[in-house]
Amino acid sequence: MLESFYKYWGKCQQGDQSDNYHLLAYHNLDVAACGYHIVKNNYFNSAELFEQIGFSSDETETAALWFAYFLAWHDIGKFANGFQQLFKHNNPNLVAPDPAKSYLTRHDSLGHWLWKNYLMQESEIQLEHYNYNIDQIYNIWLLIMTGHHGKPPILDCQRQLSI
């Protein structure tokens, strides 16, 4: 049975209380909203960086939305059952930890694998006015967005998957 995506935690604090968590769907949206705000307000010279890769100064909104879209996917691998079992709890509002699932592959690599093998075909981003190969664009951006803490995702992780 497929659980509601409102039953998955994204951040948690281990302890006696099983209500000390941030839902994964909201965590991903919070990160996306922060990224949008960063570009729209040109924090860290982000608008200029987007200009350097081809977004004109009139396209700040488009650049901010583009960045937010990919940031929303940054922790998609945390939906894996192996990752979800890392938070030991008895909270009926969350997916129950499954001790039969192991967490062998980092969540960034799981997310990249999921995107590449399933979600990319479902995406409907329209980029016709940019003369780029859409697969190449997605590959580059997803490597950037799913990588964590200075490490890119492992690209050949299928042997290690425990979803």
Side-chain angles (χ1 to χ4, degrees):
M1 178 173 114
L2 185 62
E3 297 284 349
S4 164
F5 57 80
Y6 291 115
K7 290 183 141 287
Y8 292 82
W9 61 272
K11 294 282 187 181
C12 70
Q13 185 171 2
Q14 297 283 2
D16 295 334
Q17 297 181 343
S18 61
D19 63 348
N20 206 359
Y21 61 89
H22 189 210
L23 289 175
L24 181 51
Y26 296 129
H27 167 69
N28 286 348
L29 292 173
D30 288 346
V31 171
C34 289
Y36 175 87
H37 185 76
I38 286 169
V39 175
K40 284 294 285 187
N41 293 288
N42 196 25
Y43 291 116
F44 313 110
N45 295 321
S46 55
E48 284 89 0
L49 292 172
F50 275 96
E51 285 182 37
Q52 290 176 16
I53 62 171
F55 289 88
S56 73
S57 59
D58 295 336
E59 295 178 306
T60 303
E61 176 71 11
T62 302
L65 290 171
W66 177 256
F67 193 50
Y69 173 80
F70 280 102
L71 283 176
W73 292 101
H74 87 284
D75 270 342
I76 193 76
K78 287 184 175 182
F79 281 105
N81 290 332
F83 183 86
Q84 288 296 305
Q85 66 88 24
L86 295 176
F87 179 31
K88 308 301 183 212
H89 65 83
N90 59 1
N91 189 323
N93 295 319
L94 295 176
V95 170
D98 183 352
K101 301 291 182 181
S102 57
Y103 183 59
L104 302 174
T105 303
R106 295 186 337 236
H107 71 275
D108 60 336
S109 300
L110 292 171
H112 188 268
W113 178 87
L114 179 64
W115 177 268
K116 193 102 165 104
N117 290 281
Y118 294 99
L119 299 175
M120 191 165 138
Q121 293 84 3
E122 303 298 322
S123 178
E124 296 182 8
I125 289 184
Q126 301 298 314
L127 296 174
E128 291 88 22
H129 64 284
Y130 296 103
N131 290 320
Y132 296 119
N133 176 327
I134 191 67
D135 291 343
Q136 188 177 22
I137 294 294
Y138 279 139
N139 287 338
I140 292 167
W141 277 95
L142 260 298
L143 284 170
I144 293 167
M145 293 305 166
T146 57
H148 276 65
H149 310 289
K151 294 181 181 178
I154 298 166
L155 300 182
D156 183 23
C157 68
Q158 189 156 357
R159 293 186 310 258
Q160 300 175 14
L161 290 178
S162 177
I163 298 176

